[in-house]
Amino acid sequence: MSIQKNLADITKQINGRATLVAVTKTRSEEEMREVYQQGFRVFGENRVQEILRKKPLFPADVAWHLIGHLQSNKVKQILPHVALIHGVDSEKLLHEINKEAGKAGIKTNVLLQIYIATEESKFGLDFHEADNLLQQYQEGKYPHVNISGLMGMASNVESQEQIEKEFSCLQQYYQKVAKPYPFLNTLSMGMSGDYEIALQHGSNMVRIGSAIFKSEPA
Ligand SMILES: *Cc1c(COP(=O)(O)O)cnc(C)c1O
């Protein structure tokens, strides 16, 4: 019951501004079925093995998004199964995805992950690296991928001001590159704790897990 209510609350909050990626990592098949039954069709997972295991359990109309860090040696395995890879965080990875997609005869949708947090542990490209990849892409270097946008994660901190600063920074970069690169149409930012701030800063794709699956306060 609470999943249904949580989803209704979140949907209301999003208010048509963004696509909801229901982050189902570590969740059971039963929990995920409830999300499916409420009409949601985009599931986000951060591990290749978990997508491979769960995908056969659900109808084919689920779009599986890989939201976590992807290792180059797992690219080949996962490509045929994902609708969007959010975490392209290096030239090497983009190169590998392009190569394997070409071999498989498919075109893979990806987002470039930009490093916006102040924390050491987060993956991502800096603006300069992203500029270079976008330019190479426009020049035709990666014909088997479709770069449709950017993704970012804010620092995991209490300070709303800090989070706002980070999202605002990515929003400004997105607006800057969307002009020369009009194929960019997705800005993936915002998780359970910060998606409202992300939406205020132009996010049109939010990745939400714990807020969907939390149980009713006793
Ligand atoms: C787990 C995860 C999320 C969802 O986090 P919640 O706080 O549970 O909403 C979003 N994005 C990425 C990349 C994640 O790994």
Side-chain angles (χ1 to χ4, degrees), residues 94-110:
L94 186 61
H95 183 88
E96 186 68 18
I97 293 171
N98 180 65
K99 189 182 84 185
E100 292 299 335
K103 281 198 224 163
I106 55 177
K107 200 154 178 167
T108 299
N109 296 314
V110 306

Side-chain angles (χ1 to χ4, degrees), residues 106-169:
I106 55 177
K107 200 154 178 167
T108 299
N109 296 314
V110 306
L111 305 178
L112 298 182
Q113 181 171 357
I114 312 291
Y115 181 92
I116 51 172
T118 50
E119 293 164 345
E120 281 291 317
S121 62
K122 299 268 159 73
F123 295 100
L125 304 159
D126 63 31
F127 294 141
H128 180 69
E129 291 170 317
D131 281 341
N132 281 338
L133 292 187
L134 286 167
Q135 187 168 352
Q136 290 175 4
Y137 173 66
Q138 195 168 47
E139 288 164 359
K141 183 165 176 194
Y142 304 105
H144 308 296
V145 300
N146 177 24
I147 301 181
S148 58
L150 309 177
M151 181 270 221
M153 286 172 84
S155 297
N156 184 15
V157 292
E158 285 297 319
S159 164
Q160 303 286 295
E161 212 175 310
Q162 177 67 26
I163 294 168
E164 185 147 12
K165 207 168 85 188
E166 293 172 5
F167 283 150
S168 166
C169 189

Side-chain angles (χ1 to χ4, degrees), residues 48-107:
V48 165
Q49 295 308 325
E50 212 171 334
I51 293 185
L52 296 177
R53 181 174 66 79
K54 287 172 168 177
K55 193 181 180 190
L57 306 174
F58 287 86
D61 63 351
V62 172
W64 296 85
H65 286 197
L66 185 68
I67 58 172
H69 179 65
L70 174 60
Q71 288 171 308
S72 292
N73 63 0
K74 302 230 170 108
V75 166
K76 184 182 176 172
Q77 226 182 344
I78 200 63
L79 282 195
H81 302 289
V82 284
L84 182 64
I85 297 174
H86 288 234
V88 173
D89 57 4
S90 72
E91 180 172 357
K92 179 174 172 249
L93 180 58
L94 186 61
H95 183 88
E96 186 68 18
I97 293 171
N98 180 65
K99 189 182 84 185
E100 292 299 335
K103 281 198 224 163
I106 55 177
K107 200 154 178 167

